[in-house]
Amino acid sequence: MKNICLPQFDHLQLPPLSGEQWKYTKLSTLIPRDVLPGPALLEQERCWSGCPLELDPKSYKVVLLDGQLAMEHTTLPAGVEVSIKERTGSSNSKDYFEQLNSNTANSEVLLTIKSNQSITSPLYLIHQLSSLPQTLLQPRVTVEVGANSKLTIHELLYSLADEQGVGGHVNSVTKFLLEKNANVEHLLSQVADENFHGVVTVIARLRQDASLNTHFASLGSSMAVMRLDAELQDEGAQLGSFALYSLSQNQHHDFQTIIKHLKPHTSGQQLYKGVMKDQAHGIFSGKIEIAPGAHHSESSQYNHNMLLSEKARADSRPTLDVLNDDVKCGHGATVGQLSSDSLFYCQGRGINPERATAMLRQAFLLEVLAKLESQELKQDLLNLLSVYTDQE
């Protein structure tokens, strides 16, 4: 694994593989030892093949091809700017994957939403990834949202399927910096090809009265780790973190979250729901940290799983680290099977077992879908679910 760090990055510290967080996911399988950071294709060889969603030609979008900004396909609303920021020096982050991404990237894409803007029509942040062996793609995007601005954004990550079954690897980082009273709704849809493996990290830093609702829809890739690192840095900051995943065959998806309440009167809500069938494995490892001075904070963390076969598996580990008595916190996890009573009820009304199972699975996930406020994002997600989940 350490071979992916070129000599100048030997100081980077691997995650503690003996800890609970990496108990179920093997890093050597996720990112093999022989991959090297770098773009998969030369600039003149890259082309945009369109995305899994049928977008309106007038849609606002930022397109990245193998992590590189494609300005010719980028369309922005008024009040939004995009630029390429050259990187100098190394990251001071303690997170291995963020360091690896930062320290091996010559530049990052900077998306700036000016103050007092209202971008309610979805802005699409599109990551198209090439499937090439022994190459680690590392898109890096920073989204700066100015004071009193509102943004609706759909981040879509997908790979180009290879006819010979050649896989690829990604270590992407998207960082949100929300200024005072900024409001962002973010949907991240991961629909990479089954042979594509990788780590997808969202970092969020919220200032006073800022609000971020971020949603993960992890549907593609046979092995993926979806990560959220959020800090509520000022009073009144609010975070909603939601995810749905519907896994089949041998898919292995690992969700890791850490939410830090650093100041008083902050709030957080987490709800992750997954359905596993065949030999699929879903993992959730979440942590809430409430600092000593963060009194009157509220935070909840729940993970619910449904297993549709004997060999399907779910592991859940929600944890709290509360250093203040004057707070309200809750956490929990459930793993269960499809209700036989519900199946019987559907069959009694002429619905065959396969169709009944699909309906009940969708109903189970709808609680997460309902957390999306944007009707456009809801429809996008429904469209993706219809394509990337089994439709018995």
Side-chain angles (χ1 to χ4, degrees):
M1 173 69 179
K2 202 166 185 178
N3 287 6
I4 67 173
C5 298
L6 302 180
Q8 61 267 43
F9 305 119
D10 282 343
H11 65 284
L12 299 186
Q13 296 298 309
L14 283 168
L17 304 186
S18 60
E20 288 291 324
Q21 190 174 27
W22 293 99
K23 181 177 180 180
Y24 303 106
T25 300
K26 294 182 179 179
L27 291 178
S28 59
T29 304
L30 183 68
I31 303 178
R33 295 177 61 87
D34 58 351
V35 300
L36 293 173
L41 298 173
L42 298 176
E43 183 175 355
Q44 61 268 28
E45 296 176 324
R46 290 193 296 266
C47 63
W48 187 32
S49 301
C51 74
L53 287 172
E54 293 186 10
L55 299 182
D56 187 312
K58 297 181 180 180
S59 296
Y60 302 130
K61 54 187 176 293
V62 176
V63 178
L64 279 71
L65 306 179
D66 292 341
Q68 307 300 306
L69 179 63
M71 281 299 300
E72 66 274 20
H73 301 300
T74 295
T75 307
L76 298 174
V80 179
E81 296 178 349
V82 65
S83 60
I84 299 175
K85 180 181 177 181
E86 298 300 322
R87 297 192 59 81
T88 57
S90 59
S91 170
N92 58 3
S93 171
K94 296 180 181 180
D95 180 82
Y96 174 81
F97 293 102
E98 201 278 331
Q99 282 190 72
L100 178 62
N101 178 286
S102 175
N103 294 349
T104 55
N106 295 323
S107 62
E108 68 179 306
V109 175
L110 178 61
L111 186 61
T112 304
I113 291 79
K114 298 179 181 179
S115 298
N116 303 306
Q117 303 297 314
S118 182
I119 315 300
T120 54
S121 295
L123 171 62
Y124 291 89
L125 176 56
I126 299 172
H127 300 276
Q128 176 181 287
L129 307 172
S130 300
S131 295
L132 288 178
Q134 299 181 318
T135 302
L136 178 64
L137 300 177
Q138 302 202 89
R140 185 177 183 86
V141 180
T142 296
V143 183
E144 296 181 346
V145 185
N148 305 308
S149 286
K150 183 174 183 177
L151 172 67
T152 302
I153 182 168
H154 187 173
E155 185 173 7
L156 185 62
L157 187 149
Y158 66 98
S159 61
L160 301 179
D162 184 271
E163 294 180 357
Q164 298 179 348
V166 174
H169 307 277
V170 65
N171 176 34
S172 74
V173 173
T174 302
K175 188 172 186 177
F176 287 92
L177 304 176
L178 276 63
E179 293 299 325
K180 182 178 179 179
N181 204 38
N183 183 298
V184 174
E185 182 164 46
H186 168 242
L187 170 62
L188 194 162
S189 300
Q190 184 276 115
V191 292
D193 179 72
E194 65 177 354
N195 295 311
F196 217 92
H197 298 171
V199 181
V200 179
T201 301
V202 173
I203 299 172
R205 302 292 182 259
L206 280 63
R207 307 300 292 184
Q208 182 180 352
D209 296 323
S211 174
L212 170 65
N213 282 331
T214 183
H215 308 253
F216 288 156
S218 191
L219 305 175
S221 177
S222 59
M223 176 170 280
V225 176
M226 310 290 288
R227 308 167 71 236
L228 173 65
D229 174 355
E231 290 184 1
L232 310 182
Q233 298 178 330
D234 282 320
E235 293 193 25
Q238 301 179 45
L239 173 77
S241 173
F242 311 103
L244 64 80
Y245 41 106
S246 183
L247 311 180
S248 60
Q249 299 180 10
N250 291 303
Q251 283 184 295
H252 177 109
H253 288 198
D254 189 341
F255 297 83
Q256 302 177 4
T257 70
I258 180 168
I259 313 300
K260 298 179 180 180
H261 296 256
L262 303 181
K263 291 295 178 69
H265 301 284
T266 55
S267 63
Q269 179 187 11
Q270 296 180 72
L271 176 64
Y272 284 57
K273 300 189 77 170
V275 177
M276 277 64 67
K277 63 177 292 188
D278 303 323
Q279 296 84 38
H281 189 184
I283 304 113
F284 174 79
S285 300
K287 185 177 184 181
I288 295 172
E289 294 185 2
I290 298 187
H295 56 81
H296 292 93
S297 292
E298 298 184 8
S299 203
S300 64
Q301 181 184 73
Y302 295 98
N303 173 228
H304 301 300
N305 301 277
M306 178 186 291
L307 305 181
L308 300 182
S309 66
E310 292 184 358
K311 293 185 178 181
R313 182 177 173 186
D315 289 284
S316 189
R317 182 175 165 266
T319 59
L320 299 176
D321 185 5
V322 180
L323 302 178
N324 192 307
D325 293 333
D326 196 5
V327 298
K328 184 185 294 185
C329 292
H331 67 161
T334 60
V335 179
Q337 298 177 334
L338 198 61
S339 167
S340 58
D341 290 341
S342 298
L343 277 174
F344 180 79
Y345 178 87
C346 292
Q347 290 177 254
R349 279 148 183 79
I351 303 172
N352 65 51
E354 291 78 14
R355 178 59 180 161
T357 298
M359 291 173 59
L360 293 171
R361 177 179 57 187
Q362 184 178 30
F364 178 78
L365 296 174
L366 280 178
E367 183 182 5
V368 176
L369 186 71
K371 298 293 185 180
L372 281 166
E373 295 181 4
S374 166
Q375 294 301 315
E376 292 94 332
L377 295 189
K378 281 185 181 179
Q379 190 58 55
D380 284 349
L381 185 48
L382 285 171
N383 291 342
L384 291 173
L385 284 169
S386 69
V387 173
Y388 290 94
T389 59
D390 294 337
Q391 302 296 305
E392 289 105 346

